[in-house]
Amino acid sequence: MANEIDRLLRKMARLRDKERGCEWDTAQTFSTIAPYTIEEAYEVADAIERNDMGELRGELGDLLFQVVFHAQIAKETGHFGFEEVAKTISDKMEARHPHIFGSEDGVMVESRWEDLKAAERQAEGATSAMDGVASALPALLRAQKLQKRAARHGFDWPDTEGPRAKVVEEIEELDTATLDQRAEEAGDFLFAAVNLVRAYGIDAEEALRAANRKFERRFREMEEIAGGDFEQRNLEQQEELWQEVKRREKARL
C-alpha cells in the first residue's frame, strides 16, 4: 500500500513539474481545482447510492487524487505536504476517540464527539458557534448544520410545533412578497422547512436526495407509459399518468 501511495505522490509531482509536467496541471491553484474536488466527492456518493463497487473504487481514487493535488500545491508553496495532511487527520482521530486510542473507557456518544469538536474549534480561535461550518457546503446541508450548532447552544424549539408554525408563517410571507422580496422570502421558507424536518429527527439532505430519486423514477415511467408523446399531453392527462405510476408502485409492493 505504501508503495502505491508513494507512486501516486511521484506522479503528482511529475505532473506539476514546471519543465516536464502537464501544462494544465501546472497552471492549477487551490481555487481552480476546488470545484473538481467537490464534484469528485459527489461522484463518490453517487456510486455508493447505486451500490456500484467497481465505480466506487475508481471514484475514491479520483477523490484521493484531489487530496494529493492540493497537498502538492501546498508543498510547493512551503505550507505543508501529504505527510502532514495524513498526520493531522491521524492526530485528530486519536484526540476525538480517547475511548479507543487513549485511557478513557466507555463508548463515544454524539454529545461527547460534538464537545471534542467544539473544543478543537475554540483552540483554533473560534469566536462564534457558527465558526467552522464550511460555506461551500450544499445550501440544504449547511442550513441543517447551522441549525444544529444553534441548537447546541439552546436556540431551538423543544418540539415540532414551533418549526411547523414558522413554515406556515414563511409560506404566507412568500405569498405576499413583492418581486424584489421573493428570493429572500423563498430562502427563509426553505430554511424553515429544513428546521421542521430536523425537528422530526430526519436528515434533510438525505430526505431530499431520496425525493429527487423518486421523482426522477416516476417521471421516467410516465414518459415510458406515454410512448413518446408525453409533451403533447395536457396537464390533466399528465397528472393521470402520474397517478397511474403511483398505482403501479403500490401494486409492486
Side-chain angles (χ1 to χ4, degrees):
M1 182 181 295
N3 289 339
E4 289 301 326
I5 292 177
D6 289 341
R7 179 188 176 204
L8 177 58
L9 294 174
R10 290 196 302 270
K11 297 295 183 184
M12 186 70 255
R14 175 63 185 275
L15 288 171
R16 289 280 298 178
D17 188 281
K18 299 299 182 183
E19 296 181 359
R20 302 183 302 156
C22 169
E23 182 177 351
W24 186 89
D25 288 283
T26 56
Q28 301 312 303
T29 65
F30 291 123
S31 298
T32 60
I33 64 172
Y36 297 101
T37 308
I38 296 170
E39 180 181 343
E40 295 299 349
Y42 278 119
E43 291 182 358
V44 167
D46 182 64
I48 292 172
E49 285 185 3
R50 291 183 286 103
N51 196 33
D52 189 330
M53 293 299 103
E55 188 165 346
L56 177 59
R57 179 182 59 191
E59 296 299 348
L60 286 171
D62 292 343
L63 183 57
L64 176 59
F65 182 77
Q66 292 296 310
V67 175
V68 169
F69 207 145
H70 284 285
Q72 178 64 29
I73 295 175
K75 182 178 181 179
E76 294 167 2
T77 53
H79 294 292
F80 55 82
F82 183 81
E83 287 189 5
E84 288 82 0
V85 172
K87 180 180 184 302
T88 297
I89 188 59
S90 292
D91 290 346
K92 181 183 292 185
M93 289 302 100
E94 287 183 9
R96 289 185 179 179
H97 296 81
H99 60 304
I100 301 295
F101 302 110
S103 58
E104 279 192 18
D105 295 325
V107 178
M108 176 67 76
V109 295
E110 184 177 0
S111 59
R112 174 64 171 149
W113 174 266
E114 292 296 338
D115 288 340
L116 287 169
K117 291 200 296 183
E120 288 175 5
R121 290 193 296 269
Q122 188 173 12
E124 293 170 357
T127 59
S128 168
M130 300 291 105
D131 287 347
V133 182
S135 59
L137 287 171
L140 193 69
L141 179 58
R142 189 163 192 265
Q144 189 166 256
K145 284 185 173 290
L146 291 171
Q147 291 169 6
K148 285 183 176 180
R149 287 283 184 86
R152 279 181 53 78
H153 288 73
F155 191 66
D156 198 16
W157 278 289
D159 51 37
T160 60
E161 294 302 317
R164 183 185 296 111
K166 190 64 177 176
V167 167
V168 174
E169 175 187 326
E170 295 300 345
I171 291 174
E172 293 173 349
E173 291 183 1
L174 180 58
D175 283 341
T176 59
T178 65
L179 184 60
D180 291 338
Q181 296 171 331
R182 283 178 187 170
E184 180 179 353
E185 294 299 342
D188 291 345
F189 161 69
L190 291 171
F191 192 85
V194 170
N195 210 20
L196 176 58
V197 170
R198 184 181 61 83
Y200 279 104
I202 298 170
D203 185 290
E205 182 76 13
E206 288 301 317
L208 186 56
R209 289 173 70 87
N212 287 342
R213 290 194 298 270
K214 180 169 66 175
F215 178 82
E216 181 180 8
R217 182 182 68 249
R218 287 177 173 177
F219 194 90
R220 288 178 182 275
E221 190 166 350
M222 283 197 300
E223 291 176 316
E224 183 179 343
I225 296 172
D229 68 344
F230 180 82
E231 293 184 7
Q232 282 69 49
R233 304 194 182 199
N234 59 39
L235 183 57
E236 183 177 347
Q237 292 170 326
Q238 291 176 345
E239 175 62 22
E240 290 176 359
L241 289 174
W242 179 264
Q243 295 302 325
E244 173 62 20
V245 169
K246 292 175 65 177
R247 286 191 293 271
R248 292 188 179 192
E249 285 183 352
K250 289 183 179 180
R252 288 193 291 263
L253 294 177

